[in-house]
Amino acid sequence: MTSDPAIPAENSTGSETVTSAGAVTGPRAEPDRLRDLATTSAVLERAKGAVMALTGCSPDAAHKELLRRAHAGNRTLIEECWITLGSGSPGKAVPAPDRATQPPDRGVPVCPPAREPSDDGSTALGRLGRALVGVRTPQELAGCLLEHLAETAAADAVMIFARLPAGGLELVGHAGVDATLAAQWRQVPPLTGIAALDTLRTRQARWLEDLEEDRKRFLLIGDPPERWRSRAWLPVVTGDTADISIGVLRTRPGPFTPRTREHLRAVVRLCAGRLRAFGARPEPAANGPADAVQAVFDTLPGAAMLLTPLRAPSGDIEDYRIDAATPEAIDVVGRSGRELVGLRILECWPPVADESLWQRCLDVLSAGMPYEGEPFAQQDVVAGVAELSTYSVRVARLGDGLVISWIRHDPSDRQEQRLADVQRLGNLGWANWNLATHEVTWSAQIFTVLDRDPARGPVRLLELPGLAVPEDVPALTRAIGALVHEGRPVDVPFRIRTARGVRHLRVVAEAVADLHGTPVEVHGFVQDLTAQRSAELALVASERAILTQHGVLQAERALAARLQHALLPLPDKPLRLAGLRVEVAYLPAQSDIHVGGDWYSAIELPDGTALFVVGDVAGHGIEAVATMAQLRFTAKGMVITGSSLTGALSRLNTLLLHSRDPHGTATMVLAHYLPGERRLVWAQAGHPPPLLLRAGEVRRLGRPGGMLLGASTTPVFEEAECRLEPGDRLLLYTDGLVERRSEGIDRGLERLAQALVTHHSDEPGSLGPLLAAVLEEERRDDVCVVDIRVPADPTNPAQG
């Protein structure tokens, strides 16, 4: 043993360095870092002790010897410690396989191979070695092995058998095996044909990789045995004996590769030390009355321990043995009270060796004067909640040993400050009314909550309703009466009037009764809920305003929809205009409660020609519908009376500039069809171009010049011509058909063109499927479409 903490830390070369913890651990703290530190240090100290016992060397020399062997064997220090503890003969080094030169497996597996241990096999074994320090029972060891071997050896179950004195086996640990099967194999008689028992007799591993052949030689575990298609049984050899057999069971068939076999052997060597430690018992106290001393410590409050110094051959103190401990003394691994008896201080609290406390203990032993350290902060976990506590350590000499105790400090002023902070943050104050003596005690915060001068003192419980506004007095009086006479708890809101206005309060109280059930005391608190209540009232007012506004908007939408339907009637069947078949569709937006300004016009003029107009007024609601009606009727009137298309657009622009909304704008396309020449003359004002479907191909008509209506006082508009042919299909539409937020308009035009080809049909009613294919489920804008068909047979106008 040594006073050095000697905590190993892995590095990239497989060797380890020594570090120490930085602070003394409080008696009830359980930080993960110190837990790992303590358990790892305990393994190292036991391994050093084994080397010292067999070689007679010093602690430092034993530590160096372990480091030398770890480096020579290409192992981590913790691996070497486990191997030393498991072999029972530290003088005999265990050779390490050359992991870098393992021959590859030349066999062809039946199914994809399991993940091999990594090319840096020492890394995987190092992780397992660190994990083993936290394992306390063979059952936990089985779970730890399965977690490790599931990745490195494709293991699905692990079983650990121990040899019984009578020659049979006992299942001491298992993982991945159900409880029923484990109960069936709990006790195994000394029969032949048991693979686990055979490994102990021969001290040789058994690799069961052919299910049909293996069942002829051994009684296979499993219900049915086919559950595990391959399995390995390896003995845990310590010295010249083998009393433990570890089984690795896999559902996958096929052989274990050479690398996997070597890895499993290395794993078993690591487990040997851990398995031997399970049987080790704490070192008993040297004196006889130990049980009596521990019985006294069992009744003591706080954390305290009785320590006996352990001296090296040189006479120096290298550790302390715990001879007694109170229930509240807890080490970094979680052991407490009687569980600590017989253990070493450096095993339970490794950082102590690096702290001034170690030297103080030596001073107390030599001088006999007690020592009390400075208070220090320590985080404890109480009822699942972390809190910061203050401790000080006291050390006193008792005979040849020491009594060390941790004293927890919780001054009343700190508790009072915490209570004051809670009341201030919660805007509440506590009160206590003694119904027998009529004594009243209030905290300072309750005077602030009630806006009462402390010089006036507190009020009696039955006088509390007198502070409320008249409307709240009856309810508060009834509640307090039931509390005083029946002991019924109170939780009642009430209001008071102060210089700052009306305050919304809440009183919560309960009664304490005597042996006869009569209330003799009332305690509770009064809380100011004004801010919360104000927010609730503001929320209610906001909701009411929203509902009112929503009702107004719904009424406006209904009015606009009726007006739009009256001004823009939709035909229930295709129109026949100038030898063309025309279908019209209008779809309102779904994501807006307002009615939009999209519109169309399709009429046959007195001279036998046809006029087609599609427009879109900016905005929504009554104003947009009114502007739409004005533009629609004016455009038809001007063209009917002989105005050119460009002239009509210029006058409509002037009309829009002088409307009630000087900032209103609109887009429009006008098309005049002359049936004798099958010629289409058209003009546009900032509107998407018409699409022409001819012979299975779609193209956009080249847009003539023209800008948005209402955007300029001097606009320029131009006309363009297009000669239609039999079978042509022309589509006029508003931008709601092609616009989406996530893409440009060109992408929308391409999507419309593709749908026009895909869903083309000469049958009436084909416009509906086209719109369904193009539009999103939720339309963000109105859509207006005029679908014009030229009959394929000019002599039969009914076609098309």
Side-chain angles (χ1 to χ4, degrees), residues 330 333 350 355 378 454 546 558 781-782:
I330 304 175
V333 186
E355 301 299 328
Q378 173 63 48
I546 291 174
D781 198 2
D782 296 354

Side-chain angles (χ1 to χ4, degrees), residues 128-144:
L128 177 60
R130 290 191 297 273
L132 289 180
V133 300
V135 171
R136 301 184 184 181
T137 65
Q139 182 65 23
E140 292 182 7
L141 175 61
C144 179

Side-chain angles (χ1 to χ4, degrees), residues 582-599:
V582 182
E583 293 187 38
V584 179
Y586 172 78
L587 300 173
Q590 294 178 327
S591 60
D592 200 322
I593 66 171
H594 297 291
V595 175
D598 290 23
W599 57 279

